[in-house]
Amino acid sequence: MTLKKIFGKLHLWLGLSSGLIVFIVGLTGAVYCFAPELQNMQPCRWVKQEGKPFLPPARIQQIAEDQLPGKSLQRIYYDARDKAVMVLFTKADVYSYAVFINPYNGKVLKVRDNGKDFLSVVLQIHRTLLIPHGHYVIRWNTVIFIFMLISGMILWWPRKTKNAKHGFKIMWKASPKRLNYDLHKVLGFYISWIVIFSALTGLMFTWKAFAGLVYKYTGFEHSTVQTSPPISDSTGIAGKRAAAIDLVWKQVAPDLYEKYASLMFVLPSTKNGAILVRANPEKETLYKTDFRYFDPFNGKAFPGAYVWGNYTDASTTADYIKRMNYDIHTGAIFGFPGRVILFFIAVIVTSLPVTGFLYWWGRKHKK
């Protein structure tokens, strides 16, 4: 059996076994390309802009926790002047609830169960298929899919150079079987080069060992990626944390809209963990975000760069890969046009298991 036939057998049976998951991941990825636009259609995200300062995060925290007593509050997100503050609660590392609050008067606009929110469910399906340990299933199916793309290009490659031109175009007027074959082969070839890259960025999220390997060979030793968040050695007591958040707010609030488009407070999940402020100067992307850490008891800033640090601290390829990975994966790195292009690529990815199955079925049932 030739090497090409071996690749053909593997391409077939791996495709049949993983096709449904590829279809689901591709479809949910296509939907999530327009997450910002779909989110902005939700009335609870908008408020009337007023000429007064926002409520500080300690007050926002109190209002949100009154709505969901006993729940674990993790993030407080200040957006544009005409946007509600979004407060996120977590359960088992998943954002379980979101509370939207008017930042001017503290009115609660909506308490949302993310398990019933369309976009939140779409994202969780994309990441975990909504099954226990689903991220492992996604991880290994992504590895299989990368092999499928590479083997597909090998199978596509013509034996004779003069026949290559037939692999670059779709014969729209051909029979349904031939048209289906062209849609699978030609479209698969065209998107493979981009989708392999997108799949690798997806693996960076779901496979820490793979991400670590990438960082190792792209300047890990001299980057800010590997350093750990700071730990407070202050002697604090439980009631000072809320006051510390407001002390942090006084330091960073003047930069909101002057230097940054949004601010996100990430509250510590451990007793002496730091308060993280994610300050993003742009609305469309995340990679320029500055990460600033503060003592949870006295509100003082920790010196130096931690984890990702400020954008100006990035100096190695590992730093830029870490920062840009999400924006590359979603297409946002190229703005709205990039997300539109990625949407159509995701639609084609969704079609590949279908056209591949129809091609196999047609060969088994020639009539």
Side-chain angles (χ1 to χ4, degrees), residues 56 82 84 95 138 162 168 185 192 228 248 273 278 347 349 352:
D82 57 353
Y95 297 124
I138 296 293
K162 65 180 182 180
F168 288 106
K185 181 183 68 170
S192 291
S228 300
V248 175
R278 297 176 56 164
V347 170
V349 168
L352 291 179

Side-chain angles (χ1 to χ4, degrees), residues 21 25 124-144 202-203 205-209:
I21 295 175
V25 172
Q124 286 306 310
I125 292 174
H126 188 76
R127 289 176 171 176
T128 67
L129 301 175
L130 295 181
I131 61 175
H133 308 295
H135 62 285
Y136 291 114
V137 179
I138 296 293
R139 173 196 299 178
W140 291 110
N141 270 271
T142 302
V143 173
I144 291 172
L203 279 181
F205 292 117
T206 188
W207 198 353
K208 290 184 178 180

Side-chain angles (χ1 to χ4, degrees), residues 165-285:
K165 63 181 182 180
H166 298 297
F168 288 106
K169 61 182 181 180
I170 298 172
M171 298 178 65
W172 296 102
K173 296 182 180 181
S175 66
K177 280 189 176 182
R178 177 53 194 255
L179 177 59
N180 178 76
Y181 175 69
D182 281 355
L183 289 172
H184 185 79
K185 181 183 68 170
V186 179
L187 292 180
F189 169 77
Y190 278 124
I191 68 165
S192 291
W193 312 92
I194 299 176
V195 176
I196 288 175
F197 200 63
S198 180
L200 290 173
T201 60
L203 279 181
M204 296 283 287
F205 292 117
T206 188
W207 198 353
K208 290 184 178 180
F210 174 74
L213 189 66
V214 173
Y215 298 147
K216 178 180 179 180
Y217 290 102
T218 52
F220 177 87
E221 293 83 359
H222 307 288
S223 73
T224 60
V225 170
Q226 81 280 11
T227 51
S228 300
I231 300 296
S232 172
D233 58 1
S234 300
T235 304
I237 57 176
K240 291 188 176 180
R241 287 180 180 265
I245 297 174
D246 280 355
L247 292 175
V248 175
W249 170 253
K250 291 179 180 179
Q251 298 175 63
V252 299
D255 290 334
L256 185 58
Y257 311 127
E258 294 296 326
K259 183 179 178 181
Y260 298 112
S262 63
L263 293 174
M264 178 183 290
F265 288 77
V266 182
L267 305 188
S269 57
T270 59
K271 181 178 180 180
N272 292 327
I275 297 171
L276 166 62
V277 176
R278 297 176 56 164
N280 187 7
E282 296 186 350
K283 293 182 179 180
E284 297 293 328
T285 59

Side-chain angles (χ1 to χ4, degrees), residues 18-60:
S18 65
L20 179 60
I21 295 175
V22 171
F23 178 87
I24 293 171
V25 172
L27 181 61
T28 52
V31 172
Y32 211 77
C33 284
F34 296 112
E37 288 73 25
L38 294 172
Q39 289 168 346
N40 286 336
M41 293 173 63
Q42 300 171 345
C44 63
R45 292 180 177 270
W46 298 93
V47 299
K48 182 179 179 181
Q49 183 175 329
E50 300 182 27
K52 60 182 182 181
F54 288 161
L55 295 176
R59 178 61 181 144
I60 296 293

Side-chain angles (χ1 to χ4, degrees), residues 234-359:
S234 300
T235 304
I237 57 176
K240 291 188 176 180
R241 287 180 180 265
I245 297 174
D246 280 355
L247 292 175
V248 175
W249 170 253
K250 291 179 180 179
Q251 298 175 63
V252 299
D255 290 334
L256 185 58
Y257 311 127
E258 294 296 326
K259 183 179 178 181
Y260 298 112
S262 63
L263 293 174
M264 178 183 290
F265 288 77
V266 182
L267 305 188
S269 57
T270 59
K271 181 178 180 180
N272 292 327
I275 297 171
L276 166 62
V277 176
R278 297 176 56 164
N280 187 7
E282 296 186 350
K283 293 182 179 180
E284 297 293 328
T285 59
L286 295 176
Y287 72 95
K288 291 185 179 179
T289 298
D290 287 341
F291 293 78
R292 301 164 63 181
Y293 288 87
F294 299 84
D295 192 291
F297 299 109
N298 57 35
K300 293 182 179 179
F302 285 102
Y306 295 90
V307 188
W308 297 4
N310 293 333
Y311 180 63
T312 53
D313 298 328
S315 60
T316 68
T317 303
D319 290 328
Y320 290 110
I321 289 175
K322 178 72 172 179
R323 286 180 164 275
M324 295 181 177
N325 192 67
Y326 177 83
D327 291 325
I328 292 173
H329 187 70
T330 61
I333 194 75
F334 300 111
F336 182 72
R339 290 192 286 116
V340 171
I341 292 171
L342 197 65
F343 166 78
F344 285 109
I345 291 174
V347 170
I348 294 173
V349 168
T350 304
S351 76
L352 291 179
V354 178
T355 54
F357 176 81
L358 291 175
Y359 174 66

